Amino acid sequence: MHPAFAKACHYLRIEHRRVPVGPDLRADVEAMAALIDDNTVLLVSGATCCPYGVIDPIPALGQVALAHDLPCCTSTPASVAGCCPGGSASASRCRRGTRVEA
């Protein structure tokens, strides 16, 4: 997740909740679902994790968002390709036609 989300939460006085990652360094879908309550306004996931280049389980997180009628924001490789190795690797794999698993 981009640090701008934490900064926005700070300025807007919104509680910022973080979920643990699994052994594969991807977001824990069950943990994210467990944190949702009536005050939840957005789920955030990453199509790349800058240090490791892994992709969160976007389809599963999207299903959680749909089930709770919440928006889900996903940072995409195109938006971070210029500033992180993981984004650059994922973006170049997409351009070459390599399937990038979510």
Side-chain angles (χ1 to χ4, degrees), residues 14-75:
I14 296 173
E15 180 185 0
H16 176 222
R17 300 176 185 172
R18 297 181 64 129
V19 298
V21 296
D24 60 357
L25 302 177
R26 300 179 342 143
D28 182 329
V29 177
E30 292 174 4
M32 188 176 288
L35 287 175
I36 295 172
D37 64 16
D38 291 340
N39 294 319
T40 304
V41 296
L42 175 69
L43 301 185
V44 178
S45 59
T48 57
C49 165
C50 289
Y52 309 109
V54 297
I55 298 173
D56 284 338
I58 307 300
L61 292 170
Q63 290 299 315
V64 170
L66 281 173
H68 293 276
D69 196 28
L70 291 167
C72 183
C73 177
T74 301
S75 297

Side-chain angles (χ1 to χ4, degrees), residues 47-48 74-83 86-88 90-92 94-95:
T48 57
T74 301
S75 297
T76 62
S79 68
V80 295
C83 63
S88 298
S90 295
S92 64
C94 290
R95 283 193 296 273

